[in-house]
Amino acid sequence: MNTTAAAGLLHLIAAEPTLLAAARADASEADLDHRARNENHPCLGCGSAARCAVIVNSATAGPRWLDLCSACWHVVRRANDLAGDG
């Protein structure tokens, strides 16, 4: 995934947050670690095994899981930084 594709992904999930699984608002660091290490979720960017899990808070859909592989996570973070949202 390149930065342009990552920016598109960020736009898509902001526009349609129900594409992401619902998360608990009070999820802890242990919950994040457990999801990333012990559960089997596909990366939203490329479909490979997700190794990173974060919660994004949608104004319309509430807290949602964002599961990404390490490579996509870095590209998405860079796209977010370039957009001025990070």
Side-chain angles (χ1 to χ4, degrees):
M1 180 186 320
N2 59 37
T3 302
T4 302
L9 173 64
L10 290 170
H11 176 76
L12 175 64
I13 61 175
E16 188 52 59
T18 58
L19 293 172
L20 305 175
R24 289 190 355 248
D26 63 346
S28 67
E29 287 292 322
D31 295 326
L32 294 169
D33 186 59
H34 178 76
R35 185 174 178 94
R37 296 179 188 270
N38 300 104
E39 296 181 19
N40 185 20
H41 299 281
C43 171
L44 186 64
C46 70
S48 64
R51 296 290 175 242
C52 305
V54 296
I55 295 175
V56 294
N57 289 304
S58 164
T60 59
R64 298 288 171 158
W65 287 109
L66 176 58
D67 301 300
L68 297 166
C69 69
S70 296
C72 288
W73 168 244
H74 289 291
V75 177
V76 165
R77 283 188 54 194
R78 177 158 171 71
N80 195 48
D81 289 344
L82 291 174
D85 298 332

